[in-house]
Amino acid sequence: MNTMVILTPALIESTVRAFRAELESHLAKSGSVSIPGEVQLCRNMLKQVLHRGAGVLSAKDETLMWGVGLSAVVAVMISQAVHGIGISKSDVN
């Protein structure tokens, strides 16, 4: 049996707010970040996800996937910053 989940504007807004707060905290704690570092974090966390096709993620898998999202967004932000200022490599503080 398939279940439809509706991602309401309120859920999207609250998730984005929480994600932004986590992102700012991640960047504040990290000091210096790099694309290779963030990609490696993503890979390490994804290796730990044990999702077996159930309809929901376990609490641990949800936390890991949240971390993957944070690291992926940081890598994209670094790339956008690098492209925006025309340099080939960068660490972003």
Side-chain angles (χ1 to χ4, degrees):
M1 177 170 84
N2 292 333
T3 302
M4 183 188 311
V5 175
I6 298 172
L7 303 178
T8 64
L11 176 60
I12 294 167
E13 185 177 327
S14 67
T15 302
V16 168
R17 258 194 323 269
F19 193 84
R20 180 180 179 156
E22 290 275 345
L23 179 61
E24 289 172 353
S25 175
H26 172 71
L27 291 171
K29 289 181 206 171
S30 297
S32 182
V33 294
S34 67
I35 291 174
E38 296 300 320
V39 169
Q40 190 59 50
L41 281 172
C42 286
R43 287 182 178 141
N44 292 344
M45 287 183 277
L46 281 171
K47 286 179 188 176
Q48 296 176 54
V49 174
L50 301 173
H51 182 60
R52 306 239 190 271
V56 297
L57 294 169
S58 69
K60 180 182 177 187
D61 286 349
E62 185 176 314
T63 299
L64 288 166
M65 292 301 291
W66 188 264
V68 169
L70 286 171
S71 290
V73 167
V74 170
V76 169
M77 288 170 45
I78 295 167
S79 183
Q80 290 174 335
V82 169
H83 289 131
I85 56 178
I87 57 177
S88 60
K89 293 181 181 179
S90 178
D91 278 344
V92 178
N93 290 317

